[in-house]
Amino acid sequence: MSTKITHDSDAPAVSVELVITKPLEDYDLFEVEAETPRDVDPILASQGFKDLIDDARAILDRELAGQGLEVVQLTGAICHDAKVHRPGIWVVVREKSVAGKQMSLERQARVAAAAEAVRSTLGLS
């Protein structure tokens, strides 16, 4: 599992978890597996990971521009993958000016495409 997308059935929002499954040398992230969740914390606090989040935001801003969607949360995540814990990126995207109902299918597809752009451009998995 390198990308997990969860749609909120009661709100126009989608959460995306992007798991880092391979080292990212450009971000000085050489170790991306840990035995315990606590061992992932130093990775999430590193300057390289902060730079990765900045680059992810730039990609999301570009991919979601003019789509009626906004990033409401973008942060690091501790992800469980098989028998190890990994760092990841957690994103929550909301459809603007819609309340109390699920995000439209068209915009759900747009979020999925944006998540794939982040995953492939940054080489997360």
Side-chain angles (χ1 to χ4, degrees), residues 23-60:
L24 301 174
E25 294 178 11
D26 290 345
Y27 297 98
D28 295 328
L29 302 177
F30 301 105
E31 295 294 324
V32 294
E33 292 184 1
E35 290 185 26
T36 67
R38 184 179 331 182
D39 295 333
V40 177
D41 285 338
I43 298 168
L44 300 179
S46 71
Q47 184 59 50
F49 191 82
K50 291 174 185 176
D51 294 342
L52 178 69
I53 291 290
D54 288 345
D55 288 350
R57 174 160 308 275
I59 295 166
L60 289 166

Side-chain angles (χ1 to χ4, degrees), residues 7-14 94 98-103:
H7 306 281
D8 189 330
S9 60
D10 296 325
V14 172
R94 179 176 57 206
V98 176
K101 64 179 184 176
Q102 190 171 12
M103 183 182 286

